[in-house]
């Protein structure tokens, strides 16, 4: 099913939801309308059984040119503090929703990625860029600090010297440098981008979905915990996951130890045989 009539669109195909920023003529910058539409799309897809992975990409030459300087900043600020706070809630809201999304998520960065775009970039669990993509914290170029979490994103993901340089100069880096800095997992030529993302999505589709959700949350949560807190959290998180799916791990052990049909060191157990 495809919706095509607005600022963001999606298509579901073979259990992959391809969600697209869809303002190519505005380089997919994020307006309040786009932010509201994104939340609607996330709502619609989150618990659908025919969706196993969500990919976030952009129509045209941009992934996202960040916040819409006209609609998100100038026009909203002209309406007063209440409107500004509402616009912030709406953008930060869908990024947060995406950060803790039920399904695994992949950012497929096809082109320009600026400033506010780092919010949804960070929200996606994994990120694959085109070598040709261009990234920058361009806030400094128009006279503000990288807000909306962008400073936090680079400090979380990349080394301090690189983060500082990136934030203070506003210089562009390409996909390969973004991968070297670990802003994204890897970078491939644009012509191979979709195939590589599809391949990665298919790896994820073979995993137990409850275990994937528990794992992605655990990686984000433990980052801010002491070792002892993390140890405790992980015991409880696994036990909570067992509540949602108590057959998965038993089947995983059985297919290895009894059936000898796979080796966990070399790939995932067969989900189709799980009751
Ligand atoms: N906010 C508002 N409008 C934008 C934005 C934006 N972030 N980015 C692009 N547009 C608009 C342009 O104003 C232009 O509109 P128009 O056709 O009505 O004149 C249209 O999109 C196309 O943009 P061009 O600049 O003509 O496209 P080009 O391909 O030459 O350049 C580029 C692309 C480099 C992305 C350029 O548009 C740009 O620098 N955009 C701003 C990037 C940026 O710094 N974003 C803010 C980051 S900070 C933050 O998000 C908080």
């Amino acid at each position: 099913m495809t919706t095509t009539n607005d600022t963001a669109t999606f298509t579901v195909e073979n259990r992959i939801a391809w969600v697209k920023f869809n303002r190519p003529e505005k380089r997919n910058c994020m307006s309040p309308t786009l932010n509201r539409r994104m939340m609607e799309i996330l709502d619609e897809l989150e618990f659908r059984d025919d969706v196993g992975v969500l990919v976030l990409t952009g129509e045209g030459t941009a992934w996202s040119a960040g916040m819409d300087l006209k609609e998100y900043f100038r026009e909203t600020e002209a309406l007063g503090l209440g409107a500004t706070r509402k616009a912030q809630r709406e953008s930060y809201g869908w990024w947060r929703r995406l950060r803790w999304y039920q399904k695994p998520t992949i950012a497929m960065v096809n082109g320009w990625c600026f400033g506010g775009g780092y919010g949804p970039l960070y929200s996606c669990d994994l990120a694959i860029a085109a070598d040709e993509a261009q990234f920058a914290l361009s806030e400094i170029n128009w006279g503000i600090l990288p807000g909306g979490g962008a400073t936090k994103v680079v400090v979380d993901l990349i080394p301090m010297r690189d983060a500082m340089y990136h934030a203070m100069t506003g210089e562009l880096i390409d996909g390969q440098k973004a991968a070297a800095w670990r802003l994204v997992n890897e970078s491939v030529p644009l012509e191979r981008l979709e195939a590589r993302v599809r391949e990665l999505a298919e790896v994820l589709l073979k995993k137990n979905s409850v275990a994937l959700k528990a794992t992605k949350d655990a990686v984000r949560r433990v980052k801010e915990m002491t070792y002892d807190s993390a140890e405790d959290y992980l015991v409880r998180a696994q036990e909570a996951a067992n509540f949602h799916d108590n057959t998965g791990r038993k089947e995983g052990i059985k297919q290895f130890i009894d059936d000898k049909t796979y080796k966990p060191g070399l790939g995932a157990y067969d989900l189709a045989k799980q009751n």
Side-chain angles (χ1 to χ4, degrees):
M1 175 188 155
T2 308
T3 59
T4 51
N5 56 350
D6 50 16
T7 52
T9 64
F10 69 86
T11 306
V12 177
E13 184 196 303
N14 299 328
R15 305 201 63 233
I16 304 172
W18 300 88
V19 179
K20 274 193 177 179
F21 294 113
N22 188 39
R23 299 180 76 205
E25 73 291 352
K26 296 288 180 189
R27 304 304 178 260
N28 298 325
C29 64
M30 291 177 272
S31 60
T33 308
L34 180 144
N35 289 327
R36 282 191 288 275
R37 179 67 189 132
M38 274 294 183
M39 185 64 109
E40 280 172 15
I41 291 177
L42 295 184
D43 275 341
E44 158 131 20
L45 295 172
E46 186 160 21
F47 293 100
R48 271 173 57 162
D49 292 337
D50 63 339
V51 174
V53 174
L54 184 148
V55 175
L56 180 57
T57 190
E59 188 66 45
T61 57
W63 193 70
S64 172
M67 307 319 293
D68 186 320
L69 269 54
K70 179 168 168 282
E71 294 185 35
Y72 180 85
F73 287 113
R74 193 167 64 189
E75 292 176 2
T76 302
E77 285 165 11
L79 300 174
L81 185 60
T84 300
R85 291 286 182 264
K86 179 168 185 282
Q88 288 166 339
R89 279 197 305 276
E90 287 171 344
S91 56
Y92 304 167
W94 78 262
W95 305 344
R96 186 181 313 112
R97 183 73 179 281
L98 192 59
R99 233 166 23 249
W100 302 104
Y101 209 56
Q102 185 69 26
K103 309 288 161 89
T105 56
I106 305 172
M108 180 170 105
V109 186
N110 53 300
W112 302 112
C113 180
F114 286 104
Y118 284 37
L121 177 69
Y122 180 71
S123 297
C124 290
D125 304 320
L126 300 166
I128 312 288
D131 294 342
E132 294 88 340
Q134 296 280 337
F135 298 77
L137 283 185
S138 53
E139 286 87 340
I140 198 68
N141 292 339
W142 61 280
I144 69 162
L145 63 75
T151 298
K152 174 69 174 155
V153 171
V154 292
V155 168
D156 258 19
L157 295 182
I158 74 184
M160 178 63 94
R161 286 285 177 216
D162 295 328
M164 192 67 91
Y165 188 96
H166 201 50
M168 291 182 71
T169 65
E171 283 176 14
L172 290 166
I173 59 169
D174 65 12
Q176 290 190 350
K177 190 152 188 179
W181 279 4
R182 315 310 297 139
L183 194 54
V184 297
N185 291 93
E186 61 186 75
S187 162
V188 297
L190 181 60
E191 63 185 16
R192 284 193 38 226
L193 182 63
E194 190 176 318
R196 175 64 188 120
V197 168
R198 196 180 294 276
E199 183 182 82
L200 177 57
E202 277 161 11
V203 169
L204 299 173
L205 288 172
K206 292 196 175 74
K207 312 294 187 197
N208 179 296
S209 58
V210 172
L212 272 178
K213 167 67 171 151
T215 299
K216 56 181 261 182
D217 287 2
V219 169
R220 287 189 195 269
R221 293 282 184 213
V222 302
K223 195 163 191 294
E224 297 184 353
M225 292 181 191
T226 61
Y227 192 96
D228 280 352
S229 300
E231 194 178 71
D232 185 52
Y233 167 86
L234 293 167
V235 167
R236 289 161 203 281
Q238 180 59 56
E239 289 172 1
N242 295 345
F243 172 80
H244 291 289
D245 173 26
N246 63 8
T247 55
R249 59 206 297 265
K250 286 189 193 138
E251 189 64 34
I253 295 174
K254 175 176 170 291
Q255 289 182 23
F256 176 49
I257 299 294
D258 304 330
D259 306 346
K260 300 196 184 304
T261 49
Y262 87 113
K263 293 178 193 289
L266 305 180
Y269 73 90
D270 186 350
L271 289 176
K273 291 192 190 148
Q274 178 177 314
N275 343 305

